[in-house]
Amino acid sequence: MGLLRKIRTTGRVAEPAPPRPEGQVQPSARQLGGSVQVRCVDAGSCNGCEIEIAAAFNPVYDAERYGARQVASPRHADVALVTGPVTRNMAAPLRRTVAAMGEPRLVVAVGDCAINCGEFAGGYGVEGAVADVVPVDLAVPGCPPEPEAIVAALRRVTGR
Amino acid sequence: MSAIPAALATATALAATGALAGLGLPYRLRVAVVGVLTAGVGVAGGTAGVAALGGSRWRAVYSGLVPLAGAHVAVDALAGLFMAVAGAVLAAVAVYGIGYATGHGAHGLGSRTAQAVLPVFALSLVLVPVAAAVSTFLLLWELMALTSLFLVLAEHRGGHLPLGRSRERGSPSVRQAGTWYAVMTHLGLVLLLAGFALFAAQAGGETFATLRAGAHGIPPTVRGLVFVLVALAFTSKAGAVPLHAWLPRAHPEAPSPVSALMSAAMVNLGIYGLVRTGLDLLGGGPAWWWLGLLAMGGASAVYGILQAAMASDLKRLLAYSTSENMGLVLTGVGASGLFAAHGDKPLAALALAAALLHVVNHAAFKALLFCAAGSVLRATGLRDLDRLGGLRARMPVTAALFALAALGAVALPPGNGFISEWLLLQSLVHGLAVPGVAVAVVLPLSVALIALSTGIAAAVFVKALGVGFFARPRDERAAAAREAPPLMLAGMTLLAAGVVALALVPGLLGHGLDRAVGAVGLPGSGALTWGGLGVRLTDISARLEPLWVVAALTAAIVLATGLPRLYGRRRRRVNARLWDCGGGAPTPRMTYTATSFAEPLQRVFDDVLAPEQDVDVTPVRESAYLVERVRFQHRVPDRIEHRLYEPVLRALASTGRAARRLAGGSVHLYLGYGFAGLVVLLLALVVGW
């Protein structure tokens, strides 16, 4: 009964949907028809971006209402959400993950590190930014980016 | 004058020639000549059996053959059924055996002893059902036990190794299996001897005709005692729980053709003896006999298949599956006796027909399974499923034949085991009309146990086929496997033809089965008719046409696989690398093994199986916190064997040690024993008379 009471007393916590973000919907995402399966890849992040991604999919920001959903295998995924500077050890797995996804596929680089290696640029273990390893379609700047920014980027893929 | 005596005389002559050939011929000729002659014994015995199933009967007395009593022989349809099964299995397995023993040197199955004994074993399998007197029966029974014991021990110098590998020095497991088998089969003989001696003394004669006539004059307690003694002996031969302990040891250690013969022909004779004695000679009995058999059958079915599910040794798995199938047959025989005891003869006939049909089906698929396991063993030297794998590509014909036989063994629709289990379930379900509290409790329980054992059997054979033949090889020996030689494939193909025929047109057996059921005094054709292609149960208005089932399944499979292929052709296909979580390529070490496949089942049946595991952590010398080595050991022991046999064996051993004190080595002591014995005997005579 505790669960039912919790549901009743909590009510709806999702924030009202902000207006549709500016910018064109990605052309290759049109085929997806508004339903996007997302696979997260941590290519060497400090885990800050992971916390924000988790927040983007929680009940408050609720990215799922716009048609984005997290999955556990690149075989099921349309979008790879890549965080962190790409370390040497993660370069090959990242390439393989993207190669394992079906067409059409998109890569979203989340966070400053993913865009330009951020704080870790020039580190001995860093291979480079995500764009150096796999082609990137969308970037979400910020260190770490706010959940709204991540949701807005995903909405540009789903078009909803 | 029928064909039976001529065929049996031919079989005997061929077996005698075969035994001499095995002794006398050099190795090169020996295997081929003995194999052909043994196949001849099978064909001749099978012919006699088929003639008996066709309705001819034969009886004779050879007074000079066995001292004092003379050899009494008789063949009726029930004997004919078991002769036909043994003969058919023998013919196919003998052909297989030529290929198996060729090219492996004059040891193991190719040795002089084994090749001389093999035709005699074959003959005894055919002749045991022919015996029509207690002395003749026991002689042939013991001949069968002894010859099979010789054959079990054939590979005592080490397992079957692939060509070009050095032999191990001796195999203790074979010797242990031989000891278990010898002791248990002779305990069975003692029980049989006691039971039949009591029976013959009460009935006033030892021929089966006298026993049959005198059975009704025997007091009920004595009848019950005779049945219990004889039933214990025969169920032990059939490998029923709790007397099964020899079976999972002896069947895996015997050379594979011998395993096939033992599992497909020899254990059947336990069922034959039970049906012959219980239903025919004793003429049925009170309900408690049959309830006991039902309990034993249900326990064997479930326990046997559970142990098979845990086994990772391929041949041990098959041996336990034999125990399961004999449990199902015992359930049928028990149900038949129970219905007969309550006077419902048509239903009793149906249950017995189901049991006998399952004997035939089991013989066909189990002989094929053991032969396929034998060709795997011959090609790889491995019986451990955890190390096999990848054989589908390397041994395609063997894998296909194993799959065919496994389909029969899981008792699912297109397989042959399905038909007999369907009949068995029909008879049990409709037996609820029979009055009695025990019946109302036991029959639904039996139905549930059969359903459970069938479900686990599916898991067992998915494991055997999927882990053993599919996926990737987990051992270099499995990776280097090559297809079996043509003669072995030919023998297996003969068996496969039998399996397919039994699955598609079991109606061919119909009248023979009716006559066999009729031979024990139950009306043969009352309960089920074999019209056209299918089987119809007249009283119950149920029918089954296996050919249509197969046609419907084939159509469904073709539709289900063909339509997506037609539809999917329009799309572009991309070859992609296997998804390996971004890490390295998967190795064979990562694949599912037989043990891991069985693990969930083992958890479910944890209380029944009581697995033992042992973790042994060795720390580094300098620090107790750093681990040098972790040893993990996991074992699923046969619990019944553990609990039931080991205390008895321990007690026997301690008695033996205590008795050693009696023989101190002094001659005076021994003379004293003799004197004391004489005095006691004389005193007893004086006092007693």
Tab-separated table of all heavy atoms in Angstrom, chain B residues 628-646:
chain	number	residue	atom	x	y	z
B	628	GLU	N	46.578	-16.983	-3.312
B	628	GLU	CA	47.418	-17.571	-4.337
B	628	GLU	C	46.593	-18.417	-5.297
B	628	GLU	O	46.776	-18.401	-6.500
B	628	GLU	CB	48.501	-18.440	-3.681
B	628	GLU	CG	49.523	-18.949	-4.685
B	628	GLU	CD	50.505	-19.902	-4.059
B	628	GLU	OE1	50.180	-20.526	-3.038
B	628	GLU	OE2	51.604	-20.014	-4.602
B	629	ARG	N	45.644	-19.180	-4.764
B	629	ARG	CA	44.924	-20.135	-5.591
B	629	ARG	C	43.544	-20.345	-4.989
B	629	ARG	O	43.398	-20.447	-3.772
B	629	ARG	CB	45.677	-21.467	-5.598
B	629	ARG	CG	45.299	-22.435	-6.678
B	629	ARG	CD	46.381	-23.495	-6.798
B	629	ARG	NE	46.586	-24.166	-5.534
B	629	ARG	CZ	46.020	-25.345	-5.210
B	629	ARG	NH1	45.242	-25.947	-6.051
B	629	ARG	NH2	46.252	-25.892	-4.039
B	630	VAL	N	42.511	-20.413	-5.865
B	630	VAL	CA	41.172	-20.754	-5.405
B	630	VAL	C	40.725	-21.983	-6.164
B	630	VAL	O	40.748	-22.000	-7.399
B	630	VAL	CB	40.162	-19.610	-5.656
B	630	VAL	CG1	38.782	-20.021	-5.185
B	630	VAL	CG2	40.593	-18.358	-4.940
B	631	ARG	N	40.368	-23.016	-5.450
B	631	ARG	CA	39.908	-24.239	-6.109
B	631	ARG	C	38.422	-24.386	-5.821
B	631	ARG	O	38.003	-24.363	-4.667
B	631	ARG	CB	40.674	-25.432	-5.565
B	631	ARG	CG	40.672	-26.598	-6.515
B	631	ARG	CD	41.714	-27.612	-6.096
B	631	ARG	NE	41.107	-28.906	-5.960
B	631	ARG	CZ	40.627	-29.398	-4.818
B	631	ARG	NH1	40.722	-28.706	-3.714
B	631	ARG	NH2	40.096	-30.586	-4.779
B	632	PHE	N	37.640	-24.530	-6.881
B	632	PHE	CA	36.196	-24.680	-6.724
B	632	PHE	C	35.801	-26.048	-7.256
B	632	PHE	O	36.153	-26.417	-8.373
B	632	PHE	CB	35.474	-23.583	-7.491
B	632	PHE	CG	33.984	-23.725	-7.481
B	632	PHE	CD1	33.249	-23.374	-6.366
B	632	PHE	CD2	33.313	-24.224	-8.578
B	632	PHE	CE1	31.885	-23.525	-6.345
B	632	PHE	CE2	31.957	-24.369	-8.568
B	632	PHE	CZ	31.236	-24.016	-7.446
B	633	GLN	N	35.099	-26.796	-6.437
B	633	GLN	CA	34.699	-28.129	-6.857
B	633	GLN	C	33.197	-28.241	-6.704
B	633	GLN	O	32.638	-27.835	-5.686
B	633	GLN	CB	35.403	-29.158	-5.980
B	633	GLN	CG	35.483	-30.500	-6.623
B	633	GLN	CD	36.270	-31.469	-5.764
B	633	GLN	OE1	36.494	-31.232	-4.590
B	633	GLN	NE2	36.683	-32.558	-6.351
B	634	HIS	N	32.563	-28.797	-7.713
B	634	HIS	CA	31.107	-28.906	-7.687
B	634	HIS	C	30.725	-30.297	-8.165
B	634	HIS	O	31.238	-30.783	-9.170
B	634	HIS	CB	30.503	-27.849	-8.607
B	634	HIS	CG	29.029	-27.912	-8.669
B	634	HIS	ND1	28.236	-27.246	-7.771
B	634	HIS	CD2	28.198	-28.584	-9.475
B	634	HIS	CE1	26.975	-27.506	-8.048
B	634	HIS	NE2	26.926	-28.321	-9.072
B	635	ARG	N	29.842	-30.925	-7.428
B	635	ARG	CA	29.495	-32.298	-7.750
B	635	ARG	C	28.024	-32.497	-7.453
B	635	ARG	O	27.510	-31.991	-6.457
B	635	ARG	CB	30.310	-33.244	-6.870
B	635	ARG	CG	30.923	-34.424	-7.544
B	635	ARG	CD	32.041	-34.943	-6.669
B	635	ARG	NE	31.542	-35.361	-5.369
B	635	ARG	CZ	31.042	-36.586	-5.104
B	635	ARG	NH1	30.984	-37.488	-6.040
B	635	ARG	NH2	30.621	-36.889	-3.909
B	636	VAL	N	27.322	-33.239	-8.324
B	636	VAL	CA	25.953	-33.623	-8.013
B	636	VAL	C	25.964	-35.135	-7.861
B	636	VAL	O	25.877	-35.863	-8.844
B	636	VAL	CB	24.974	-33.194	-9.116
B	636	VAL	CG1	23.555	-33.513	-8.695
B	636	VAL	CG2	25.100	-31.713	-9.384
B	637	PRO	N	26.108	-35.644	-6.648
B	637	PRO	CA	26.164	-37.096	-6.487
B	637	PRO	C	24.787	-37.713	-6.641
B	637	PRO	O	23.771	-37.028	-6.489
B	637	PRO	CB	26.683	-37.263	-5.056
B	637	PRO	CG	26.259	-36.032	-4.356
B	637	PRO	CD	26.182	-34.942	-5.368
B	638	ASP	N	24.779	-38.993	-6.978
B	638	ASP	CA	23.507	-39.724	-7.008
B	638	ASP	C	23.088	-39.924	-5.558
B	638	ASP	O	23.661	-40.715	-4.831
B	638	ASP	CB	23.699	-41.067	-7.720
B	638	ASP	CG	22.373	-41.743	-7.988
B	638	ASP	OD1	21.452	-41.555	-7.183
B	638	ASP	OD2	22.259	-42.447	-9.002
B	639	ARG	N	22.056	-39.183	-5.158
B	639	ARG	CA	21.745	-39.130	-3.738
B	639	ARG	C	21.236	-40.461	-3.207
B	639	ARG	O	21.547	-40.856	-2.079
B	639	ARG	CB	20.686	-38.050	-3.517
B	639	ARG	CG	20.629	-37.598	-2.100
B	639	ARG	CD	19.560	-36.566	-1.946
B	639	ARG	NE	19.574	-36.000	-0.618
B	639	ARG	CZ	18.591	-35.239	-0.171
B	639	ARG	NH1	17.574	-34.970	-0.940
B	639	ARG	NH2	18.642	-34.744	1.037
B	640	ILE	N	20.450	-41.151	-4.038
B	640	ILE	CA	19.908	-42.432	-3.583
B	640	ILE	C	21.052	-43.403	-3.340
B	640	ILE	O	21.098	-44.114	-2.331
B	640	ILE	CB	18.925	-42.981	-4.632
B	640	ILE	CG1	17.684	-42.107	-4.651
B	640	ILE	CG2	18.568	-44.415	-4.341
B	640	ILE	CD1	16.618	-42.561	-5.570
B	641	GLU	N	22.005	-43.371	-4.276
B	641	GLU	CA	23.156	-44.249	-4.134
B	641	GLU	C	23.912	-43.899	-2.853
B	641	GLU	O	24.316	-44.768	-2.088
B	641	GLU	CB	24.046	-44.048	-5.357
B	641	GLU	CG	25.109	-45.081	-5.530
B	641	GLU	CD	25.978	-44.725	-6.700
B	641	GLU	OE1	25.426	-44.526	-7.795
B	641	GLU	OE2	27.188	-44.621	-6.525
B	642	HIS	N	24.048	-42.593	-2.640
B	642	HIS	CA	24.773	-42.063	-1.504
B	642	HIS	C	24.145	-42.510	-0.193
B	642	HIS	O	24.817	-42.972	0.720
B	642	HIS	CB	24.690	-40.538	-1.603
B	642	HIS	CG	25.877	-39.839	-1.071
B	642	HIS	ND1	27.144	-40.166	-1.464
B	642	HIS	CD2	25.993	-38.826	-0.189
B	642	HIS	CE1	27.983	-39.382	-0.826
B	642	HIS	NE2	27.320	-38.566	-0.057
B	643	ARG	N	22.833	-42.378	-0.112
B	643	ARG	CA	22.132	-42.611	1.139
B	643	ARG	C	21.805	-44.073	1.371
B	643	ARG	O	21.737	-44.534	2.498
B	643	ARG	CB	20.818	-41.805	1.149
B	643	ARG	CG	21.019	-40.341	1.288
B	643	ARG	CD	21.375	-40.007	2.731
B	643	ARG	NE	21.790	-38.625	2.860
B	643	ARG	CZ	20.949	-37.627	3.082
B	643	ARG	NH1	19.671	-37.864	3.187
B	643	ARG	NH2	21.398	-36.399	3.192
B	644	LEU	N	21.533	-44.797	0.289
B	644	LEU	CA	20.996	-46.143	0.431
B	644	LEU	C	22.094	-47.183	0.377
B	644	LEU	O	22.113	-48.128	1.158
B	644	LEU	CB	19.978	-46.388	-0.684
B	644	LEU	CG	19.070	-47.586	-0.499
B	644	LEU	CD1	18.141	-47.334	0.662
B	644	LEU	CD2	18.267	-47.827	-1.761
B	645	TYR	N	23.045	-46.999	-0.542
B	645	TYR	CA	24.011	-48.066	-0.775
B	645	TYR	C	25.216	-47.938	0.137
B	645	TYR	O	25.725	-48.934	0.626
B	645	TYR	CB	24.464	-48.059	-2.240
B	645	TYR	CG	23.403	-48.545	-3.192
B	645	TYR	CD1	22.320	-47.750	-3.504
B	645	TYR	CD2	23.493	-49.796	-3.779
B	645	TYR	CE1	21.343	-48.185	-4.360
B	645	TYR	CE2	22.525	-50.237	-4.646
B	645	TYR	CZ	21.449	-49.436	-4.939
B	645	TYR	OH	20.490	-49.861	-5.795
B	646	GLU	N	25.666	-46.705	0.360
B	646	GLU	CA	26.914	-46.560	1.099
B	646	GLU	C	26.832	-47.082	2.533
B	646	GLU	O	27.767	-47.759	2.973
B	646	GLU	CB	27.396	-45.111	1.043
B	646	GLU	CG	28.105	-44.852	-0.262
B	646	GLU	CD	28.657	-43.464	-0.391
B	646	GLU	OE1	28.664	-42.729	0.622
B	646	GLU	OE2	29.073	-43.108	-1.492
